[in-house]
Amino acid sequence: MKKILIVCGIIFSFSTIEASEVSEWFEKESSQFLEIINNNEGTESENYERYKYFVNKNFAVKSIAYGLIGENIINKSSKSELSIYLSAFTDYLIKTIYKLANTSTSSLITLIDVDVKDNIYIIKSEISDRKTSANLYWKVIDTGSSYKIIDVIVENTSYFVTKKSEFNKILRKNRGSLEALTKEIRKI
Amino acid sequence: MIKHLKVILLIISVTFFQTTPSYANEEVSVSGISYDEIYDPIEPINRAVLNFNFFIDDIAIRPIVKTYKFIAPEPVEKGVSNFFSNLKEPIRTISFIFQGEFSKSFNSIGRFTINSLTSLGTFDLASKIGMEKNETDFGITLAKGGVSSGPYIVIPIIGPSNLRDFSGDVVEYFVDPISNNVPNREYIAIGSGLNERVEIDEQLEKVRDASSDRYEMIKSIYYQNRNAQLEEEYIQNLPVPKIYIE
């Protein structure tokens, strides 16, 4: 019985350390994100570069991009097609975040809770400005060297699920052509 | 009598759709929730109605909402929102009874009593004393009773729904103790609708040009929000991408 309690204690302390590490990472990156949002002093291209750096550093872009098109499309596409798509998607993701951030005046992101399920950290936070607040969930993985975001859920709307249904629609309309999807996302 | 007949016909039609799958293709399915393909057999009609709704919104509703938001100070906006939300507490009470959620039902009627007596519902005192608002409606009641969502539909002026949720709205219209007992219930319905439009104004502005296909985006957002109201561990069970080495 004593041994079981010791083992449980060790497991619990490990998960607490991991949760506190991810919390620390989150606090640091979210404050950096707010700094980027609220800093409008630079030129448009300078601001864009800041977003680009932030997205490349903190998002699991390849996993999200590939997850959105699914295994079937990945398997039937050539390496160059996938590489062009990945580059277009990265640009698309940066632009989406850039656009959303430019229409918001958020002043605070507060960490509320960290949960772990199937090796994915679910970070619950609240984003607020003077008028309103919204629940913001981040699904994060530990790659060994850093933490990477795989999904962002605003209130109950998941970026991954929403984009997956949009991309599926485009792919179905174009008989699974990755080239057509790439063209479509470049238009935005 | 005709009123009751309509409700019965509606329930029959909903029961009929119980055999219809919510989703045609269940490629992504986690814990019973499927997200890939929403059952949408009348998509061309829905798309036309959505375009019509955006047109009406552009020429009539949006200017009203913008003017209201410009004129009304924040406390007034909040008070109006609380007022319309409070009017829905009695129907929430009934919905919770049908769902077997009796403590939530008591909470709803308690909230209605406290907020109506203290401020005609314009101030949410009940929340301040620990009686938090619980959202529900007849669509949720039907879903909890095992009725599947049926086809996705976009309703003129009102917006996205599905057969089950729309049926729930119609049932609510007939059994709602508030709107059944006030003169000119249409004004309350219009006021409530406009208030809901005001509440989603910022999100709607973002949806307008944030997507390659706003129809698909709105449909997905609608289903995600409804599923969140039905699933206990909704966020945890959402599908995630397979991990690739970056």
Side-chain angles (χ1 to χ4, degrees), chain A residues 105-125:
Chain A
T105 49
S106 303
S107 54
L108 195 63
I109 297 178
T110 316
L111 173 71
I112 294 173
D113 185 28
V114 180
D115 192 10
V116 191
K117 194 194 174 189
D118 302 331
N119 294 322
I120 295 169
Y121 294 97
I122 303 163
I123 302 172
K124 186 183 179 186
S125 67

PDB file of all heavy atoms in Angstrom, chain A residues 105-125:
ATOM      1  N   THR A 105      -8.869  44.549 -29.565  1.00  0.00           N
ATOM      2  CA  THR A 105      -8.063  45.399 -28.690  1.00  0.00           C
ATOM      3  C   THR A 105      -7.915  44.694 -27.348  1.00  0.00           C
ATOM      4  O   THR A 105      -8.339  45.189 -26.321  1.00  0.00           O
ATOM      5  CB  THR A 105      -8.752  46.756 -28.470  1.00  0.00           C
ATOM      6  OG1 THR A 105     -10.112  46.496 -28.107  1.00  0.00           O
ATOM      7  CG2 THR A 105      -8.670  47.645 -29.680  1.00  0.00           C
ATOM      8  N   SER A 106      -7.349  43.507 -27.402  1.00  0.00           N
ATOM      9  CA  SER A 106      -7.243  42.720 -26.178  1.00  0.00           C
ATOM     10  C   SER A 106      -6.135  43.254 -25.290  1.00  0.00           C
ATOM     11  O   SER A 106      -5.083  43.633 -25.773  1.00  0.00           O
ATOM     12  CB  SER A 106      -6.947  41.269 -26.529  1.00  0.00           C
ATOM     13  OG  SER A 106      -7.947  40.805 -27.374  1.00  0.00           O
ATOM     14  N   SER A 107      -6.412  43.275 -24.013  1.00  0.00           N
ATOM     15  CA  SER A 107      -5.388  43.788 -23.133  1.00  0.00           C
ATOM     16  C   SER A 107      -4.915  42.764 -22.117  1.00  0.00           C
ATOM     17  O   SER A 107      -3.941  42.993 -21.428  1.00  0.00           O
ATOM     18  CB  SER A 107      -5.903  45.028 -22.417  1.00  0.00           C
ATOM     19  OG  SER A 107      -7.113  44.714 -21.785  1.00  0.00           O
ATOM     20  N   LEU A 108      -5.611  41.644 -22.030  1.00  0.00           N
ATOM     21  CA  LEU A 108      -5.237  40.686 -21.007  1.00  0.00           C
ATOM     22  C   LEU A 108      -5.583  39.242 -21.406  1.00  0.00           C
ATOM     23  O   LEU A 108      -6.697  38.973 -21.865  1.00  0.00           O
ATOM     24  CB  LEU A 108      -5.976  41.053 -19.715  1.00  0.00           C
ATOM     25  CG  LEU A 108      -5.493  40.414 -18.428  1.00  0.00           C
ATOM     26  CD1 LEU A 108      -4.064  40.828 -18.107  1.00  0.00           C
ATOM     27  CD2 LEU A 108      -6.417  40.793 -17.282  1.00  0.00           C
ATOM     28  N   ILE A 109      -4.616  38.340 -21.228  1.00  0.00           N
ATOM     29  CA  ILE A 109      -4.909  36.907 -21.358  1.00  0.00           C
ATOM     30  C   ILE A 109      -4.567  36.279 -20.018  1.00  0.00           C
ATOM     31  O   ILE A 109      -3.419  36.332 -19.570  1.00  0.00           O
ATOM     32  CB  ILE A 109      -4.096  36.238 -22.497  1.00  0.00           C
ATOM     33  CG1 ILE A 109      -4.455  36.844 -23.852  1.00  0.00           C
ATOM     34  CG2 ILE A 109      -4.357  34.729 -22.517  1.00  0.00           C
ATOM     35  CD1 ILE A 109      -3.677  36.279 -25.034  1.00  0.00           C
ATOM     36  N   THR A 110      -5.571  35.716 -19.367  1.00  0.00           N
ATOM     37  CA  THR A 110      -5.353  35.152 -18.033  1.00  0.00           C
ATOM     38  C   THR A 110      -5.417  33.632 -18.090  1.00  0.00           C
ATOM     39  O   THR A 110      -6.378  33.068 -18.611  1.00  0.00           O
ATOM     40  CB  THR A 110      -6.458  35.657 -17.072  1.00  0.00           C
ATOM     41  OG1 THR A 110      -6.655  37.038 -17.296  1.00  0.00           O
ATOM     42  CG2 THR A 110      -6.091  35.412 -15.632  1.00  0.00           C
ATOM     43  N   LEU A 111      -4.386  33.011 -17.551  1.00  0.00           N
ATOM     44  CA  LEU A 111      -4.365  31.551 -17.486  1.00  0.00           C
ATOM     45  C   LEU A 111      -5.312  31.092 -16.389  1.00  0.00           C
ATOM     46  O   LEU A 111      -5.236  31.574 -15.258  1.00  0.00           O
ATOM     47  CB  LEU A 111      -2.938  31.074 -17.204  1.00  0.00           C
ATOM     48  CG  LEU A 111      -2.754  29.592 -16.935  1.00  0.00           C
ATOM     49  CD1 LEU A 111      -2.947  28.781 -18.197  1.00  0.00           C
ATOM     50  CD2 LEU A 111      -1.386  29.312 -16.360  1.00  0.00           C
ATOM     51  N   ILE A 112      -6.188  30.139 -16.724  1.00  0.00           N
ATOM     52  CA  ILE A 112      -7.145  29.668 -15.714  1.00  0.00           C
ATOM     53  C   ILE A 112      -6.802  28.262 -15.235  1.00  0.00           C
ATOM     54  O   ILE A 112      -6.778  27.986 -14.046  1.00  0.00           O
ATOM     55  CB  ILE A 112      -8.589  29.751 -16.262  1.00  0.00           C
ATOM     56  CG1 ILE A 112      -8.959  31.226 -16.479  1.00  0.00           C
ATOM     57  CG2 ILE A 112      -9.594  29.095 -15.307  1.00  0.00           C
ATOM     58  CD1 ILE A 112     -10.261  31.461 -17.166  1.00  0.00           C
ATOM     59  N   ASP A 113      -6.496  27.382 -16.187  1.00  0.00           N
ATOM     60  CA  ASP A 113      -6.324  25.993 -15.790  1.00  0.00           C
ATOM     61  C   ASP A 113      -5.545  25.225 -16.867  1.00  0.00           C
ATOM     62  O   ASP A 113      -5.625  25.572 -18.046  1.00  0.00           O
ATOM     63  CB  ASP A 113      -7.743  25.402 -15.630  1.00  0.00           C
ATOM     64  CG  ASP A 113      -7.726  23.990 -15.101  1.00  0.00           C
ATOM     65  OD1 ASP A 113      -6.779  23.655 -14.394  1.00  0.00           O
ATOM     66  OD2 ASP A 113      -8.669  23.228 -15.422  1.00  0.00           O
ATOM     67  N   VAL A 114      -4.819  24.191 -16.463  1.00  0.00           N
ATOM     68  CA  VAL A 114      -4.155  23.325 -17.447  1.00  0.00           C
ATOM     69  C   VAL A 114      -4.580  21.887 -17.197  1.00  0.00           C
ATOM     70  O   VAL A 114      -4.526  21.393 -16.078  1.00  0.00           O
ATOM     71  CB  VAL A 114      -2.607  23.421 -17.349  1.00  0.00           C
ATOM     72  CG1 VAL A 114      -1.955  22.514 -18.384  1.00  0.00           C
ATOM     73  CG2 VAL A 114      -2.126  24.844 -17.536  1.00  0.00           C
ATOM     74  N   ASP A 115      -5.020  21.239 -18.278  1.00  0.00           N
ATOM     75  CA  ASP A 115      -5.478  19.866 -18.185  1.00  0.00           C
ATOM     76  C   ASP A 115      -4.649  19.048 -19.187  1.00  0.00           C
ATOM     77  O   ASP A 115      -4.187  19.598 -20.183  1.00  0.00           O
ATOM     78  CB  ASP A 115      -6.975  19.866 -18.571  1.00  0.00           C
ATOM     79  CG  ASP A 115      -7.652  18.551 -18.233  1.00  0.00           C
ATOM     80  OD1 ASP A 115      -7.038  17.728 -17.543  1.00  0.00           O
ATOM     81  OD2 ASP A 115      -8.796  18.353 -18.698  1.00  0.00           O
ATOM     82  N   VAL A 116      -4.458  17.758 -18.938  1.00  0.00           N
ATOM     83  CA  VAL A 116      -3.720  16.935 -19.904  1.00  0.00           C
ATOM     84  C   VAL A 116      -4.587  15.762 -20.323  1.00  0.00           C
ATOM     85  O   VAL A 116      -5.177  15.085 -19.478  1.00  0.00           O
ATOM     86  CB  VAL A 116      -2.405  16.381 -19.296  1.00  0.00           C
ATOM     87  CG1 VAL A 116      -1.524  15.767 -20.378  1.00  0.00           C
ATOM     88  CG2 VAL A 116      -1.642  17.445 -18.544  1.00  0.00           C
ATOM     89  N   LYS A 117      -4.676  15.546 -21.646  1.00  0.00           N
ATOM     90  CA  LYS A 117      -5.390  14.358 -22.123  1.00  0.00           C
ATOM     91  C   LYS A 117      -4.656  13.804 -23.339  1.00  0.00           C
ATOM     92  O   LYS A 117      -4.407  14.535 -24.299  1.00  0.00           O
ATOM     93  CB  LYS A 117      -6.836  14.718 -22.490  1.00  0.00           C
ATOM     94  CG  LYS A 117      -7.695  13.474 -22.653  1.00  0.00           C
ATOM     95  CD  LYS A 117      -9.014  13.724 -23.322  1.00  0.00           C
ATOM     96  CE  LYS A 117      -9.691  12.394 -23.556  1.00  0.00           C
ATOM     97  NZ  LYS A 117     -10.877  12.518 -24.394  1.00  0.00           N
ATOM     98  N   ASP A 118      -4.319  12.524 -23.309  1.00  0.00           N
ATOM     99  CA  ASP A 118      -3.583  11.863 -24.393  1.00  0.00           C
ATOM    100  C   ASP A 118      -2.331  12.646 -24.796  1.00  0.00           C
ATOM    101  O   ASP A 118      -2.096  12.896 -25.993  1.00  0.00           O
ATOM    102  CB  ASP A 118      -4.487  11.671 -25.623  1.00  0.00           C
ATOM    103  CG  ASP A 118      -5.729  10.868 -25.302  1.00  0.00           C
ATOM    104  OD1 ASP A 118      -5.646  10.026 -24.385  1.00  0.00           O
ATOM    105  OD2 ASP A 118      -6.769  11.094 -25.951  1.00  0.00           O
ATOM    106  N   ASN A 119      -1.554  13.055 -23.836  1.00  0.00           N
ATOM    107  CA  ASN A 119      -0.317  13.817 -24.053  1.00  0.00           C
ATOM    108  C   ASN A 119      -0.525  15.196 -24.682  1.00  0.00           C
ATOM    109  O   ASN A 119       0.403  15.786 -25.221  1.00  0.00           O
ATOM    110  CB  ASN A 119       0.683  13.027 -24.919  1.00  0.00           C
ATOM    111  CG  ASN A 119       1.172  11.797 -24.194  1.00  0.00           C
ATOM    112  OD1 ASN A 119       1.386  11.824 -22.982  1.00  0.00           O
ATOM    113  ND2 ASN A 119       1.326  10.710 -24.939  1.00  0.00           N
ATOM    114  N   ILE A 120      -1.746  15.660 -24.683  1.00  0.00           N
ATOM    115  CA  ILE A 120      -2.018  17.010 -25.201  1.00  0.00           C
ATOM    116  C   ILE A 120      -2.431  17.893 -24.019  1.00  0.00           C
ATOM    117  O   ILE A 120      -3.324  17.536 -23.254  1.00  0.00           O
ATOM    118  CB  ILE A 120      -3.127  16.983 -26.274  1.00  0.00           C
ATOM    119  CG1 ILE A 120      -2.637  16.206 -27.492  1.00  0.00           C
ATOM    120  CG2 ILE A 120      -3.548  18.402 -26.680  1.00  0.00           C
ATOM    121  CD1 ILE A 120      -3.710  15.885 -28.494  1.00  0.00           C
ATOM    122  N   TYR A 121      -1.763  19.015 -23.895  1.00  0.00           N
ATOM    123  CA  TYR A 121      -2.122  19.967 -22.839  1.00  0.00           C
ATOM    124  C   TYR A 121      -3.297  20.810 -23.312  1.00  0.00           C
ATOM    125  O   TYR A 121      -3.283  21.330 -24.433  1.00  0.00           O
ATOM    126  CB  TYR A 121      -0.950  20.893 -22.516  1.00  0.00           C
ATOM    127  CG  TYR A 121       0.232  20.173 -21.913  1.00  0.00           C
ATOM    128  CD1 TYR A 121       1.301  19.778 -22.706  1.00  0.00           C
ATOM    129  CD2 TYR A 121       0.271  19.880 -20.558  1.00  0.00           C
ATOM    130  CE1 TYR A 121       2.386  19.105 -22.171  1.00  0.00           C
ATOM    131  CE2 TYR A 121       1.349  19.206 -20.012  1.00  0.00           C
ATOM    132  CZ  TYR A 121       2.397  18.814 -20.815  1.00  0.00           C
ATOM    133  OH  TYR A 121       3.469  18.145 -20.282  1.00  0.00           O
ATOM    134  N   ILE A 122      -4.296  20.926 -22.469  1.00  0.00           N
ATOM    135  CA  ILE A 122      -5.427  21.797 -22.793  1.00  0.00           C
ATOM    136  C   ILE A 122      -5.362  22.973 -21.825  1.00  0.00           C
ATOM    137  O   ILE A 122      -5.623  22.824 -20.628  1.00  0.00           O
ATOM    138  CB  ILE A 122      -6.768  21.039 -22.685  1.00  0.00           C
ATOM    139  CG1 ILE A 122      -6.740  19.819 -23.610  1.00  0.00           C
ATOM    140  CG2 ILE A 122      -7.939  21.959 -23.041  1.00  0.00           C
ATOM    141  CD1 ILE A 122      -7.804  18.796 -23.313  1.00  0.00           C
ATOM    142  N   ILE A 123      -4.957  24.117 -22.363  1.00  0.00           N
ATOM    143  CA  ILE A 123      -4.790  25.297 -21.513  1.00  0.00           C
ATOM    144  C   ILE A 123      -6.039  26.156 -21.613  1.00  0.00           C
ATOM    145  O   ILE A 123      -6.403  26.607 -22.697  1.00  0.00           O
ATOM    146  CB  ILE A 123      -3.558  26.112 -21.949  1.00  0.00           C
ATOM    147  CG1 ILE A 123      -2.305  25.229 -21.897  1.00  0.00           C
ATOM    148  CG2 ILE A 123      -3.386  27.356 -21.081  1.00  0.00           C
ATOM    149  CD1 ILE A 123      -1.074  25.867 -22.482  1.00  0.00           C
ATOM    150  N   LYS A 124      -6.690  26.347 -20.471  1.00  0.00           N
ATOM    151  CA  LYS A 124      -7.876  27.206 -20.464  1.00  0.00           C
ATOM    152  C   LYS A 124      -7.446  28.604 -20.044  1.00  0.00           C
ATOM    153  O   LYS A 124      -6.770  28.768 -19.028  1.00  0.00           O
ATOM    154  CB  LYS A 124      -8.928  26.661 -19.492  1.00  0.00           C
ATOM    155  CG  LYS A 124     -10.227  27.445 -19.569  1.00  0.00           C
ATOM    156  CD  LYS A 124     -11.246  26.968 -18.563  1.00  0.00           C
ATOM    157  CE  LYS A 124     -12.509  27.813 -18.699  1.00  0.00           C
ATOM    158  NZ  LYS A 124     -13.494  27.516 -17.682  1.00  0.00           N
ATOM    159  N   SER A 125      -7.821  29.582 -20.858  1.00  0.00           N
ATOM    160  CA  SER A 125      -7.495  30.959 -20.508  1.00  0.00           C
ATOM    161  C   SER A 125      -8.681  31.863 -20.803  1.00  0.00           C
ATOM    162  O   SER A 125      -9.679  31.409 -21.370  1.00  0.00           O
ATOM    163  CB  SER A 125      -6.269  31.429 -21.299  1.00  0.00           C
ATOM    164  OG  SER A 125      -6.570  31.515 -22.667  1.00  0.00           O
TER     165      SER A 125
END
